[in-house]
Amino acid sequence: MFVLVNLKTYPCDPIAVAEAVRDVNETTDARLAIAPQAAHLERVAETGAETWAQHVDPIEHGSNTGHTLAESVADAGAVGTLLNHSERRSKLADIDGAVRAAERANLETVVCANNPAQIGAAAALGPDAVAVEPPALIGTGTPVSQADPDVVEDAVEAAANVDSDVSVLCGAGISTGDDVVAAGDLGAEGVLLASGVAKADDPKAALEDLVAPL
Ligand code: G3P
């Protein structure tokens, strides 16, 4: 199982969380990674934790202001990027362009979507993975894998009907090992989570609980 911790812009210490991700990753068969804010990418990657960007733009080198270039993210040490997160929505054409930009920079891609229909559309763009995340459950502590299992199963089916090579993750409300196991039982190959770790008093303990049953 792939466990990607999205720090969003939560007021946590990205280096401390990255070190916890790195250390817990060494104790489990799960694959743990962290997605800090862009400004923190290089310092987080230097900890040795697998590091992802929260977004890259559909651009190349050139006259672009205030954008995130995939190559710069890779230079900073990131190995992948989220795209189209519900809190950073993109137009279809821009998602396509960002997937191509990430490929150009050898970044893995996870394209986020709200529901199975959108998962099917996202899978058609050929990312490495898609992640179904019902926005209404984000940040609630109510795990999608238990509160709305059909959306996960239907997302897995929707992606498989388009491209069986695209992995399916799920997110929203995931915070315990049981939530992660439930996601795997529904066919997800990984989870995205944020507040369960970024807002935890002890991020390392939260991560250890997440992977304990795996
Ligand atoms: O990218 C994952 C994130 O949107 C889930 O948020 O706080 O429900 O784990 P949270």
Side-chain angles (χ1 to χ4, degrees):
M1 285 291 272
F2 184 32
V3 178
L4 179 53
V5 180
N6 176 4
L7 297 187
K8 302 192 174 182
T9 57
Y10 282 120
C12 60
D13 176 350
I15 304 307
V17 179
E19 289 170 344
V21 165
R22 176 200 62 199
D23 295 348
V24 174
N25 189 59
E26 290 169 3
T27 68
T28 177
D29 290 334
R31 174 190 173 194
L32 274 63
I34 181 171
Q37 295 181 58
H40 300 149
L41 277 170
E42 192 156 4
R43 288 194 296 133
V44 164
E46 286 170 352
T47 68
E50 180 176 332
T51 302
W52 282 55
Q54 294 178 12
H55 172 81
V56 298
D57 286 299
I59 59 167
E60 300 184 6
H61 286 284
S63 181
N64 304 292
T65 301
H67 289 72
T68 301
L69 179 71
E71 284 84 351
S72 299
V73 161
D75 288 347
V79 297
T81 186
L82 291 172
L83 294 171
N84 195 48
H85 190 281
S86 62
E87 297 155 356
R88 185 63 171 81
R89 268 292 175 249
S90 300
K91 294 182 293 187
L92 185 62
D94 290 340
I95 302 168
D96 189 18
V99 170
R100 307 288 77 84
E103 285 174 345
R104 196 181 62 226
N106 296 314
L107 294 170
E108 277 189 68
T109 50
V110 171
V111 176
C112 301
N114 291 1
N115 57 49
Q118 290 179 21
I119 285 289
L125 300 177
D128 295 293
V130 289
V132 62
E133 279 207 322
L137 291 176
I138 291 176
T140 65
T142 302
V144 61
S145 52
Q146 309 215 38
D148 199 352
D150 290 348
V151 78
V152 179
E153 286 186 318
D154 292 349
V156 170
E157 183 179 359
N161 288 340
V162 172
D163 184 343
S164 59
D165 290 334
V166 175
S167 302
V168 179
L169 286 67
C170 65
I174 303 277
S175 63
T176 69
D178 288 345
D179 300 339
V180 179
V181 169
D185 291 345
L186 295 167
E189 295 181 57
V191 296
L192 305 185
L193 72 153
S195 49
V197 174
K199 296 172 75 174
D201 292 333
D202 184 343
K204 186 170 184 179
L207 286 165
E208 288 168 341
D209 174 59
L210 271 170
V211 302
L214 301 182

